[in-house]
Amino acid sequence: METIKLPFTETTKLSITETNRRPLSETNKLHPLERLPAHFKDRDGFEISLDERPVAPDQFIDGYEATKWEVWAFWLYYVGDSGLGLFTFAPTALQNLLSQAAGDTGLLRFAGRLRSINSIILLSNGISFSVQVVVYLVLGSFADFGTWRPWIVIVNTAVAIAIGFGWLGIYTPDKWEYAIGLYIVGLMMYGLAASYFLAAAPGLARNTPTMREHAERYNAGEISREEYDTVDSLKRNEIINMGLFYDGVGQIPLIAIGIGILYGLHANASTTNNNWALSVLIAWTSAYWIMTAIPWFVLEKRRPGQPLPPGKNYFTAGLWQIYRAATQIWKLKQSLAYLIGYFFLGDAFNTCFIVVSTLQNEIQEYNIIQICWLSMLSFAAEAAGIYGFWSIQRRWRLSTKTMVCAVAVCIVAANVYGMVGIWTDAIGFHHRWEFWLWNIWYGGMMAPWYSYSQVMISEVTPRGKMYLFYSLFNIAGYASSFFGPLISSAIIDAAPSHNNSTPFYFLTALSIASFAVILFFVDLKKSRVEQEDFLDDERRARLELTRN
């Protein structure tokens, strides 16, 4: 590869390589793992590559262009990996068994002390997500480098499905301790499967025919970088948002059939029947997941990740990458600000859902048929909400930050409403009617956080550094997922009344503060400038090294 020589000054914007001026068909014949570039170390001791392409936005490899069937398979897997079984029905089943085991006292001894039911649920979530952080540190490099990521999704999916069927053996209150273990592990497997599955989305979006056409037009000088970046951002939004839309649509037949199963099992006839019906329902969602996962496992074009850095193996590369990203992000103020906002707002969002879900289960008296109807309403609202958000964004070409801020307002509003319930029983998640409204609000106005928060990561990440910074954000996301539940559990335990609404004090303050960080301290235009300066510094360092 021949590098264009330019006079070197501190203000020089370095040029692209001659390789980038060649047609895409000539530059992409080699498999990424075969295009091993020459490596050097920068002043900080990090390896940098002469083959990093700063301008040609996305390189395509023959045989890896996304087909419409692969995209549909991606959306179909999204439907099965909704978390309805292990993230929604499993905590209901667990809370139900804990309530029966605790009796009139409402307390059980868990993790060294007597705790309320809701505290145990929150603590179990915290334990599960904290273990996920450790597992991600071990498996992260296997997903980022080489061709392991699809196999991680397959294995985690298989284990999560098996755990879903395992609930068929846990449906009596005397097995509540086993239920906690099954719930913690199941939640962990579901979370890992979802994370590594979604990691395929940027590569899928950027290998679509649309993006290939725009990359060729950009290389030919027919469109500007800003035009290309706008199309690129919208395509990533489309892949993730439509996945969430079809997820909402796909849950409706799943729940409808589930309700039929529940009536067939006479779930309303007795507590024993309701217990058994809950376990059967979780197993049914696992069977549904099998049907929706197989097409993705067959049709996914397993695009390889990065080659391993020189001198690193799969067990050291992940930790090295996290360290590198953590040290480099300080040079990117907008990226750092979003990392902070993402950590705390994600925490407020996840914990709010958990707290309200436990309140809903209690008010509904763990009646699984009623909870199914509420879940169906939530997913229908999710489909309508995300389609509305995406249509508005596409119609007016709004930035990802605008959409993130709109969702953030909705998250803050939910936590403020919950906080009001600490002071009065009139409103604030105390009545059945409120949970019908909650499920509409959560599905239609809050669930888009799942898509827009992920797309926003790519907006503040320097091109060519996606894996590096996604690793850091994923760790932050997992850490935030156990931070809130653990604190909320401690708040409930510390309150003399054990009021299950008291975490909303903490969640309201947290959501407002994190929203303010994103609103006032994240500027996408400044971020693009910082990203270009960041890449220019790396290219300048490479040029110095090549001269030596």
Side-chain angles (χ1 to χ4, degrees):
M1 182 178 66
E2 179 184 355
T3 303
I4 298 175
K5 302 295 185 181
L6 294 175
F8 184 77
T9 66
E10 285 299 312
T11 59
T12 299
K13 294 290 184 182
L14 299 181
S15 177
I16 62 175
T17 62
E18 288 291 350
T19 301
N20 290 347
R21 291 297 187 190
R22 299 172 189 164
L24 291 175
S25 59
E26 294 181 16
T27 62
N28 299 316
K29 292 180 179 179
L30 293 178
H31 189 285
L33 299 182
E34 296 173 330
R35 290 185 292 165
L36 296 178
H39 288 267
F40 295 90
K41 287 188 176 182
D42 64 13
R43 297 184 185 90
D44 300 319
F46 294 128
E47 285 91 347
I48 52 180
S49 165
L50 284 176
D51 198 36
E52 289 179 3
R53 296 175 171 81
V55 175
D58 299 294
Q59 303 300 318
F60 296 84
I61 310 162
D62 291 339
Y64 284 90
E65 184 169 311
T67 66
K68 67 175 183 179
W69 296 114
E70 185 187 11
V71 173
W72 276 103
F74 178 87
W75 289 335
L76 188 61
Y77 180 95
Y78 212 131
V79 172
D81 190 30
S82 65
L84 187 61
L86 298 178
F87 191 65
T88 302
F89 292 147
T92 302
L94 174 60
Q95 189 179 354
N96 176 44
L97 297 181
L98 292 175
S99 177
Q100 293 174 40
D104 294 336
T105 67
L107 300 174
L108 287 170
R109 183 166 294 278
F110 178 69
R113 60 172 295 181
L114 285 174
R115 300 178 186 274
S116 69
I117 306 305
N118 288 23
S119 174
I120 293 174
I121 296 291
L122 287 164
L123 186 56
S124 297
N125 276 271
I127 292 170
S128 180
F129 286 120
S130 62
V131 174
Q132 285 185 55
V133 172
V134 177
V135 173
Y136 188 85
L137 287 172
V138 175
L139 293 181
S141 57
F142 285 86
D144 290 343
F145 302 99
T147 58
W148 286 91
R149 186 199 54 76
W151 290 106
I152 294 175
V153 175
I154 291 172
V155 171
N156 280 326
T157 300
V159 175
I161 289 172
I163 289 174
F165 286 113
W167 276 95
L168 291 173
I170 307 293
Y171 54 89
T172 55
D174 60 299
K175 295 181 179 178
W176 67 270
E177 292 174 305
Y178 296 102
I180 289 177
L182 203 63
Y183 172 66
I184 289 174
V185 178
L187 185 60
M188 181 176 69
M189 292 297 102
Y190 154 71
L192 292 172
S195 294
Y196 289 115
F197 161 71
L198 286 174
L204 182 64
R206 285 172 167 164
N207 279 278
T208 56
T210 297
M211 293 314 303
R212 179 173 189 139
E213 175 190 347
H214 281 81
E216 289 175 340
R217 291 180 63 193
Y218 172 71
N219 277 345
E222 297 176 5
I223 60 174
S224 68
R225 177 60 176 268
E226 183 176 358
E227 290 175 293
Y228 176 86
D229 286 342
T230 298
V231 175
D232 179 25
S233 176
L234 288 174
K235 177 56 69 173
R236 282 178 279 124
N237 273 284
E238 178 188 355
I239 292 293
I240 296 296
N241 284 326
M242 292 308 293
L244 194 60
F245 168 75
Y246 288 118
D247 171 45
V249 172
Q251 300 315 305
I252 294 175
L254 166 63
I255 299 173
I257 295 172
I259 291 174
I261 293 172
L262 296 176
Y263 276 112
L265 295 172
H266 305 289
N268 283 337
S270 67
T271 299
T272 300
N273 284 16
N274 190 67
N275 292 351
W276 170 242
L278 265 167
S279 293
V280 171
L281 188 63
I282 296 170
W284 158 236
T285 63
S286 296
Y288 195 75
W289 194 356
I290 293 174
M291 293 184 287
T292 60
I294 290 176
W296 173 246
F297 294 158
V298 173
L299 296 174
E300 180 190 8
K301 294 184 177 180
R302 300 179 181 181
R303 299 171 184 87
Q306 311 169 80
L308 280 171
K312 299 294 186 297
N313 58 47
Y314 282 110
F315 294 100
T316 60
L319 293 174
W320 170 82
Q321 180 153 273
I322 295 298
Y323 170 73
R324 183 184 180 192
T327 55
Q328 291 195 1
I329 199 171
W330 295 97
K331 304 174 185 177
L332 301 162
K333 295 182 176 61
Q334 310 305 314
S335 305
L336 180 61
Y338 181 62
L339 177 65
I340 295 170
Y342 173 80
F343 179 95
F344 290 112
L345 190 58
D347 188 29
F349 170 79
N350 289 323
T351 309
C352 175
F353 174 81
I354 295 168
V355 171
V356 177
S357 295
T358 57
L359 294 171
Q360 173 179 281
N361 293 336
E362 186 177 333
I363 295 296
Q364 298 294 335
E365 298 177 338
Y366 314 105
N367 184 306
I368 188 54
I369 293 180
Q370 288 298 318
I371 291 171
C372 276
W373 284 115
L374 289 168
S375 296
M376 182 181 289
L377 177 63
S378 177
F379 280 109
E382 176 186 300
I386 194 62
Y387 190 82
F389 270 78
W390 167 237
S391 297
I392 291 170
Q393 182 186 19
R394 182 177 52 184
R395 170 67 177 81
W396 282 283
R397 300 176 80 84
L398 300 176
S399 71
T400 306
K401 178 192 170 180
T402 300
M403 307 311 292
V404 168
C405 287
V407 177
V409 170
C410 300
I411 296 172
V412 170
N415 284 305
V416 170
Y417 185 85
M419 185 174 65
V420 173
I422 302 173
W423 310 323
T424 176
D425 289 336
I427 59 172
F429 304 119
H430 297 298
H431 308 282
R432 291 177 183 269
W433 62 267
E434 290 179 288
F435 294 104
W436 291 93
L437 296 179
W438 154 254
N439 279 278
I440 294 173
W441 183 262
Y442 171 78
M445 307 304 290
M446 292 173 62
W449 168 259
Y450 289 119
S451 58
Y452 283 114
S453 65
Q454 292 296 307
V455 178
M456 186 70 171
I457 296 173
S458 62
E459 298 282 0
V460 298
T461 297
R463 186 169 294 279
K465 307 294 180 181
M466 288 296 174
Y467 287 102
L468 187 66
F469 283 86
Y470 260 92
S471 295
L472 184 63
F473 275 88
N474 276 330
I475 290 294
Y478 280 132
S480 72
S481 295
F482 72 79
F483 175 75
L486 290 177
I487 290 181
S488 297
S489 173
I491 290 173
I492 293 174
D493 289 334
S497 62
H498 295 293
N499 187 331
N500 294 322
S501 296
T502 50
F504 283 114
Y505 280 129
F506 162 68
L507 296 176
T508 298
L510 188 67
S511 58
I512 291 174
S514 51
F515 168 49
V517 169
I518 294 174
L519 179 63
F520 296 113
F521 296 99
V522 179
D523 186 311
L524 293 184
K525 290 184 178 180
K526 289 182 180 179
S527 178
R528 293 189 186 101
V529 173
E530 289 179 356
Q531 292 171 41
E532 289 300 321
D533 290 343
F534 176 86
L535 293 174
D536 281 344
D537 287 343
E538 282 206 346
R539 293 192 286 271
R540 188 177 293 110
R542 282 202 304 276
L543 186 58
E544 287 180 342
L545 288 168
T546 57
R547 287 181 170 181
N548 296 331

